[in-house]
Amino acid sequence: MSISLMTAAWKSPLPSGQKFVLIALCDNANDQGECYPSIATIAYKCSMGERTVQGHITALEALGILRREMRRGRSTNYRIYSAHFDAPAESAPPQNPHPTPAKSAPPPPQILPKTPADLAPITISKPS
């Protein structure tokens, strides 16, 4: 387990699924960033499906955060590059999604739709 890699992974601006898979990989990695857990092990640790884990690993590889080396008949070797943890992912939410309106902008209209109760007939039952 590499504490330095896990600390850097926690601070990364990745989306939650990718970050969780990266932390699971860092949990298995040595200080050089090398590990070889199975997809099933990562899926179990992250409480995700194997296909979901594979998708997150592919996304992390595309970002340059890790590289995988497929070995025939054996587990896959992963190499984690902590220098690339700071790059935000394309699927990460934007930092300022809604700009502040101008001070001179009028307030938004407060038009409320009619509720079904307003349109329903009133029924009054008298006791017999």
Side-chain angles (χ1 to χ4, degrees):
M1 169 173 47
S2 175
I3 299 295
S4 61
L5 283 175
M6 288 182 68
T7 302
W10 278 115
K11 294 177 182 178
S12 70
L14 295 170
S16 60
Q18 292 175 12
K19 184 183 281 192
F20 204 32
V21 170
L22 178 61
I23 290 170
L25 287 167
C26 290
D27 187 39
N28 287 296
N30 59 17
D31 287 335
Q32 290 75 37
E34 299 170 350
C35 60
Y36 45 90
S38 67
I39 295 292
T41 299
I42 300 168
Y44 178 76
K45 280 186 172 187
C46 297
S47 299
M48 296 178 182
E50 291 184 11
R51 300 288 276 194
T52 304
V53 169
Q54 290 171 348
H56 289 313
I57 288 174
T58 300
L60 290 170
E61 190 174 27
L63 291 170
I65 293 174
L66 66 89
R67 187 188 72 211
R68 48 184 163 176
E69 176 190 333
M70 305 291 192
R71 300 185 307 165
R72 200 169 115 189
R74 303 181 77 183
S75 62
T76 303
N77 278 346
Y78 299 96
R79 175 75 185 203
I80 302 168
Y81 298 101
S82 61
H84 298 276
F85 284 9
D86 294 333
E90 291 177 12
S91 59
Q95 296 301 319
N96 189 8
H98 304 292
T100 306
K103 300 238 186 255
S104 62
Q110 298 294 323
I111 302 171
L112 301 174
K114 293 246 182 219
T115 62
D118 292 338
L119 304 174
I122 298 175
T123 305
I124 300 174
S125 300
K126 291 183 180 181
S128 58

